[in-house]
Amino acid sequence: RLPLAVITADCFPVVLVAPNLPAVGIIHSGRKGTAAQVVPTAIERMCQEFRVQPDAVFGAIGPGIGGCCYEVDAASADPFITRYSDEDAVYRPSRPGHVYLDLRRAILRQLEAVGVPSSQVWSADLCTACYPQWFYSYRREGPRSGRMLNVVMIQPPTGSAPHKSARLTAGRCARAAFLAAILALNNRPNPSSIRRQLRGSPSLSSGHRCSMH
């Protein structure tokens, strides 16, 4: 029942779930972390610690700045240009000396490369810079931007045997989920509309719903 959390304001929160154990993890993956392969490193560590294979792991990618808005200079983009091909759609041209980076696509490619099946990966596909009514964005608001708290935990139903119920709950990916940048450290308008949109998004895989709290 120990909550794990990361704080974001454009970087991506990535949740990992190994439902058969159960075990969960959450990663803060911004430009530098994504370039350094922080998500594959976390999956490798999870597999080593808990003796599972990557194809037994589910992933969920929360809101972060999209390729529509994230413009960087050539030096910042170089690790991505070196690693990914044009077909990966991780970057696209911008003004001279700059490119747009799609970190979400890079994380998806990394999950695929390390052996997590695409059918077991869910993505919010929401740009934090595009929706000021929902999210804080460092790129949009600058250093005074607020921050969002993203949380994952295994929560057994009340009154049940902890280990057995936790296994069943995580097996459905029902309560091993993250807040997807809904809980903000500073006040934000009622998040019910984004909760509805996230609940209506595709599940992690058939029969594995990811419940937002």
Side-chain angles (χ1 to χ4, degrees):
R1 300 177 67 101
L2 176 66
L4 306 177
V6 296
I7 294 171
T8 59
D10 278 338
C11 298
F12 284 83
V14 182
V15 168
L16 302 176
V17 181
N20 292 332
L21 297 173
V24 298
I26 187 167
I27 303 103
H28 176 284
S29 190
R31 176 178 57 82
K32 292 181 180 179
T34 305
Q37 302 277 301
V38 65
V39 171
T41 299
I43 292 172
E44 291 171 7
R45 179 66 181 271
M46 175 180 275
C47 292
Q48 291 171 2
E49 289 288 328
F50 299 109
R51 300 181 185 277
V52 297
Q53 296 300 313
D55 61 5
V57 175
F58 290 75
I61 305 171
I65 191 165
C68 50
C69 297
Y70 192 39
E71 185 188 45
V72 300
D73 60 28
S76 299
D78 185 65
F80 298 90
I81 295 173
T82 301
R83 179 177 293 271
Y84 299 102
S85 67
D86 293 342
E87 288 73 21
D88 290 320
V90 170
Y91 52 84
R92 61 185 175 89
S94 178
R95 56 196 169 99
H98 293 74
V99 300
Y100 284 102
L101 281 183
D102 192 330
L103 296 181
R104 185 186 69 89
R105 283 190 180 274
I107 295 167
L108 287 169
R109 297 292 178 266
Q110 291 174 4
L111 288 166
E112 180 182 6
V114 82
V116 177
S118 59
S119 62
Q120 293 173 195
V121 178
W122 177 89
S123 174
D125 196 12
L126 291 168
C127 174
T128 48
C130 285
Y131 296 99
Q133 72 274 31
W134 288 349
F135 305 118
Y136 293 116
S137 168
Y138 187 94
R139 175 59 65 99
R140 186 185 64 239
E141 300 169 6
R144 299 188 63 173
S145 168
R147 299 294 187 271
M148 281 115 33
L149 182 67
N150 308 267
V151 180
V152 62
M153 68 180 296
I154 300 170
Q155 183 177 352
T158 304
S160 302
H163 181 71
K164 181 180 179 181
S165 60
R167 181 182 298 275
L168 291 173
T169 301
R172 298 186 185 99
C173 296
R175 296 190 185 276
F178 64 110
L179 281 170
I182 292 171
L183 293 181
L185 296 186
N186 295 321
N187 291 330
R188 210 45 144 186
N190 189 338
S192 60
S193 59
I194 189 171
R195 282 200 181 102
R196 285 194 296 269
Q197 177 158 334
L198 288 170
R199 281 173 174 158
S201 300
S203 58
L204 290 178
S205 67
S206 177
H208 291 77
R209 291 296 299 175
C210 187
S211 177
M212 315 310 297
H213 300 278

